[in-house]
Structure formats: C-alpha cells, structure tokens
Amino acid sequence: MLVELLPWVDQKVIETCPFSHTTETTQAMLSTSLLEMYAREQVEWDAFEWMHIECFPNLVELACMLPQKEDNLRSRMSKFLLSVSERFGDSYMTCIMLPVFLTAVGDKADLTYFPRSIRSRIEGLRPRSGVVDRLSTMCVLPLLLAGVMGAPGKQDLLAEYLRKLLLEENHTENPPTKHTPEIINAIRFICIYEENHGLIFTILWEMVVSTSVNMKINAAKLLKVIVPYIDAKVASTHVLPALITLGSDQNLNVKYASIDAFGAVAQHFKNDTIVDKIRVQMDAFLEDGSHEATIAVIRALVVAIFQLTSTPNATSDLMRRRDRANAFCEAIRALDATDFPEKSIRDYLLPAIQNLLKDVDALDPAHKEALEIIMKERSGGTFDSISKVMAGAHLALPTSVSNIFGEGGLLGKKDTMTDPSSEAASSPNTGAPSPAEDTRFRRIMLGNFSDMLRGKGKAQEDGQKQ
C-alpha cells in the first residue's frame, strides 16, 4: 500500500511546495538549497513532512515488532525506502532519510535540514535504554544498511559505516558494549543482496588479518551466517581461505570459532574442492590433540546429524531407508560414548533419535533398542564417562561410524541446510573425558572423518546408477 501511495505523495509534495520552483519532478525540486530554506523559514508543508514525521517513525516502530530473522517483510520495507530515495533524490536521502534512521539506531546524526520545531520529534526516535538500544540494533540497523545506505551510488557511505561497526569499534580487546550478535545479523541481512558481497568480503579480510582477537572471532561468526547467501565459487575463493587462516591462528578461541563456520560450509556445498579443504582442516583440528577442538567437532557433528535426520526421506526403497537409518544409528551410538553438554543432548541428540524412531520399518531391532536406551538414560541425565566408554566398547566403536564417515556415508551433503547452533565455538562446560574415551574418539574421527563429507554424494550417485 505504501508503494502504491508513493506517487500520490510525490505529486502532493510538488503541488504544495511553499517555495517557488520550476521543476516538474520531486527529485529535481528537493535540492540541498531548497531543504536549507525548508529548515530555516518555518513554513507549513504537511505533504512533505508526512514522510519523515509520520511514515519513517512508524516504519521504525513496525520494524521493532518483527522477529530478528523476518527477512521477507524487512526486505519489502527496505525496497520501499529505496523507492523513496529514488523518487525524492540524493539530497533528500542524505539530508532527511539518513539522519532519521541514524538517530533511530542511536548514532550521531546531522539535523541541520530539519526545522527546529520538529527536531525534538526526530530526536525522540533515539534509544533511551540499553534494552531499546539492542532492539534498535537488531531491528532498525538492517533497514539503515539495506534501505538507506543501500541506495545506488552510496557504496562508499555503506563501506565507511560498516568499517565503523566492524573495525573501529572492535580494534581493542575490550570494545565498547555494542551489540555484536545483532550487528552480525544486520550484516547477514544485507548479504541477501549479491551486490554487497564484494564489499563485505573486503572488510572481512581486514578482520581476518587484524591483530585483534575479538575482530577475528567476529569474522568467523560473520563468515558462518553469510554462507547461505553465497555460491560454491565464492565459498572456494573467499570463505574457505579466510576460515583456513582463522583455523591456523595461534589463539585457541579464534581457532575454535572457525570450526562452527566450517560446519556451515560443509552442510551447504558438495563441491569436491570444498570438501577436500574442509576435510584437511577438520583432520588438523583433531590431530592437534586439543580436547576443546575435539569437543567442538563433536558438537558440529551432532548438529549436522540432527539436521539430516530432520530432512524427510523421500525414497520408498526400504533397503535404502535402512542403509540411511543404520548409518545414523551407528553414528549416534558412537557419539553417545563421548561427553558433551546437556544443551547439545537436549537440542540435537535426543531430537535426532526421535526423528529416527519415526520410521520404525527402517530400523534394525538392535539399533531401535539401543536408541531407546540412549533416549531413556540421556533424557534423565548424563552417564558417567567411564560407563559410556564401556558401553561404547560393547557396541564396537572402532567400526560404528564407518557407514557415516566412510565410503557411502550420509553426512554433510544437504544443499539448503543451515546451522542453527553457534555453541560449537564455545568452550565446553563439562570436565575433560578420561584418557581412554578421548583416545578412542580421536582415533575413530582420524580414521574416518576424511571421507565424511564426500560420502553422501557417492551414495546418491550409486543409487542413481542402480
């Protein structure tokens, strides 16, 4: 409705302009000199003021009611703002639109081109508390970046502002209390538009090669969330080189932050070059002997299994369904011999088991019984590490993940998959496992992880040949 209303508003602005003009378009009429007169002479111009006094503030209020990842409505709002900028011109965008939205996200803004009588109303959009400041960063910043600074010819302005957000405010190890997750989500939103990718990756590389640990960790988080919006070529030429650099960092927190992003890449692309690079890097994480790195890989694996078991199995071939179910069951039984936080158990492991139990016909009776036992015991609390190691030994752990990690495996090949968990980069809350458990799992992973990502593609190709 607003888009359809815009031409009518445009015409009313021209017809009711209190200053003499000879132009027929709003874009030509709203020059910087005319806006200076508007601010200085205190004239009535209701049709013009409706946009920045009524419409924009109401859009800000509406944006703050949207869920963080409501991309569809937020995209339509951004397109409307771009339409306003196109009709009303560059001077209007720079002198009126930009200050309104900068104020709404709590940033400095030049209100020179607003009459004194309405400046207080524009200032009223400024967040007045920490909660509202976070809300504005979460909900209004995406509109500022995409709908205002995303206007044609404003790439330099957008680049300067993004550098301010990502580089200048994070150059110290104790940056100001800015809402980093919300900023990262806002940048994720503008990556929906392919024309922004080049700019984003230029800034990302500055973060990757910086000396700031905070900046490098934020680079890993940003790389993870933009994976769904890129193609395999961009993943190979930009994302993976950046992640490999971060994964080789001497700081352990930076290294662990990259694991989650590698997982996101693995779940979106089946390109052989990409798979090879991820395989080498994951093997390197496990070979360094770090308990935290192993735990991070375990968590990423649990998330991936949950996501793959959540995907409907379209085949009616019972044998193929059984092969698929057996691979997942054996992987879950192997993971049950490891130690990871209750949140991962609750959010991913148990739901994955529930997904498998829905297709009873595809489950081997022994697997079904084992899964029900894991469900019962894991839902009531975690096992003692030693008892889990013994259970794993009873289940023949050295071969239990061969189907999912080895030839014909199933994991890591879903094209449209996203990774909802960011916990893989965090340090574990549980204590270190016993040496027997740690050695056993690392041996399994090192022996089979190299084929994990490629396996599902081979299984699919074999099925097609048959």
Side-chain angles (χ1 to χ4, degrees):
M1 185 178 68
L2 283 173
V3 172
E4 292 180 4
L5 186 65
L6 192 54
W8 183 85
V9 174
D10 182 31
Q11 186 61 34
K12 282 293 182 182
V13 168
I14 294 176
E15 292 175 357
T16 62
C17 178
F19 310 105
S20 59
H21 63 90
T22 59
T23 58
E24 296 182 356
T25 66
T26 311
Q27 188 178 82
M29 181 185 73
L30 293 177
S31 62
T32 303
S33 58
L34 186 139
L35 293 175
E36 287 175 343
M37 287 192 290
Y38 160 71
R40 184 175 61 247
E41 298 193 11
Q42 302 291 326
V43 295
E44 288 190 11
W45 196 2
D46 294 341
F48 175 66
E49 292 182 340
W50 175 83
M51 188 67 74
H52 51 270
I53 292 180
E54 300 290 343
C55 183
F56 293 163
N58 282 320
L59 278 180
V60 167
E61 186 175 356
L62 174 60
C64 291
M65 297 179 184
L66 298 179
Q68 187 173 17
K69 291 190 177 180
E70 177 47 75
D71 291 343
N72 183 39
L73 285 175
R74 199 165 275 120
S75 293
R76 296 180 72 171
M77 294 165 71
S78 298
K79 289 177 181 177
F80 168 73
L81 292 173
L82 291 173
S83 297
V84 173
S85 178
E86 182 181 3
R87 275 191 173 271
F88 284 21
D90 183 70
S91 295
Y92 180 83
M93 178 268 169
T94 303
C95 301
I96 303 295
M97 291 182 70
L98 184 60
V100 169
F101 284 90
L102 284 173
T103 302
V105 298
D107 227 324
K108 295 179 181 178
D110 181 8
L111 302 184
T112 301
Y113 295 92
F114 293 84
R116 293 186 181 276
S117 58
I118 65 171
R119 287 181 189 176
S120 60
R121 298 181 65 175
I122 304 301
E123 279 289 348
L125 297 173
R126 187 175 299 279
R128 303 294 181 184
S129 69
V131 172
V132 179
D133 185 50
R134 178 171 177 265
L135 187 65
S136 68
T137 305
M138 180 191 304
C139 301
V140 185
L141 181 60
L143 296 184
L144 171 64
L145 297 179
V148 181
M149 295 182 179
K154 294 298 178 183
Q155 280 283 304
D156 290 344
L157 175 64
L158 179 60
E160 180 183 356
Y161 196 75
L162 289 175
R163 282 191 166 85
K164 173 179 175 292
L165 290 175
L166 293 171
L167 302 178
E168 295 177 16
E169 295 188 358
N170 288 282
H171 70 283
T172 64
E173 296 308 305
N174 295 296
T177 55
K178 197 65 179 173
H179 308 294
T180 302
E182 288 74 26
I183 291 174
I184 288 175
N185 183 66
I187 296 171
R188 174 201 66 81
F189 176 73
I190 67 171
C191 285
I192 293 174
Y193 308 100
E194 188 176 350
E195 60 266 25
N196 294 322
H197 288 180
L199 170 60
I200 297 298
F201 282 114
T202 297
I203 297 175
L204 265 170
W205 268 109
E206 294 181 42
M207 299 171 70
V208 169
V209 300
S210 74
T211 57
S212 166
V213 171
N214 283 326
M215 209 176 292
K216 292 178 181 180
I217 292 174
N218 287 338
K221 293 177 180 178
L222 187 52
L223 285 164
K224 176 190 170 183
V225 299
I226 66 178
V227 166
Y229 310 104
I230 61 174
D231 57 24
K233 181 179 179 181
V234 174
S236 295
T237 57
H238 294 291
V239 174
L240 282 178
L243 287 178
I244 290 170
T245 302
L246 294 172
S248 305
D249 197 87
Q250 295 301 308
N251 185 282
L252 294 181
N253 291 325
V254 175
K255 186 189 296 283
Y256 302 150
S258 71
I259 294 177
D260 214 19
F262 272 112
V265 176
Q267 293 164 31
H268 278 84
F269 301 104
K270 62 180 81 172
N271 177 285
D272 281 347
T273 302
I274 294 175
V275 168
D276 285 340
K277 289 180 179 179
I278 295 174
R279 181 193 64 201
V280 170
Q281 192 63 40
M282 287 299 187
D283 281 346
F285 286 136
L286 294 167
E287 284 173 351
D288 77 3
S290 164
H291 171 65
E292 287 78 7
T294 303
I295 289 294
V297 172
I298 292 171
R299 289 175 179 169
L301 179 58
V302 172
V303 172
I305 290 177
F306 161 68
Q307 291 173 336
L308 286 169
T309 57
S310 299
T311 305
N313 193 358
T315 181
S316 58
D317 186 332
L318 183 59
M319 291 303 296
R320 291 188 62 77
R321 282 162 50 204
R322 284 178 177 171
D323 288 343
R324 180 180 186 270
N326 286 341
F328 284 127
C329 289
E330 291 172 357
I332 287 174
R333 291 169 73 173
L335 286 168
D336 185 53
T338 66
D339 202 4
F340 48 98
E342 290 188 19
K343 187 177 188 305
S344 293
I345 296 170
R346 182 184 68 247
D347 293 347
Y348 304 113
L349 183 66
L350 295 180
I353 294 174
Q354 289 174 331
N355 291 335
L356 290 172
L357 290 173
K358 291 175 183 177
D359 190 1
V360 179
D361 293 340
L363 286 176
D364 180 276
H367 281 323
K368 180 176 180 293
E369 181 181 0
L371 292 178
E372 289 172 344
I373 292 172
I374 295 172
M375 274 283 289
K376 179 180 178 181
E377 294 183 326
R378 284 290 195 174
S379 60
T382 57
F383 286 111
D384 179 83
S385 291
I386 296 178
S387 68
K388 282 185 286 182
V389 173
M390 295 303 292
H394 175 68
L395 297 173
L397 271 176
T399 59
S400 64
V401 293
S402 59
N403 284 348
I404 198 162
F405 288 161
E407 197 72 23
L410 295 171
L411 186 60
K413 296 297 183 180
K414 186 62 181 169
D415 282 350
T416 59
M417 195 168 298
T418 57
D419 184 351
S421 169
S422 61
E423 66 172 338
S426 62
S427 298
N429 296 323
T430 56
S434 66
E437 176 188 350
D438 185 62
T439 302
R440 181 184 296 276
F441 184 78
R442 188 155 60 244
R443 186 172 67 251
I444 294 169
M445 295 293 283
L446 285 172
N448 300 282
F449 194 85
S450 60
D451 293 323
M452 180 183 77
L453 300 177
R454 185 179 287 112
K456 181 180 173 188
K458 289 183 178 179
Q460 289 174 335
E461 290 170 6
D462 292 342
Q464 290 171 356
K465 290 177 182 177
Q466 294 172 1

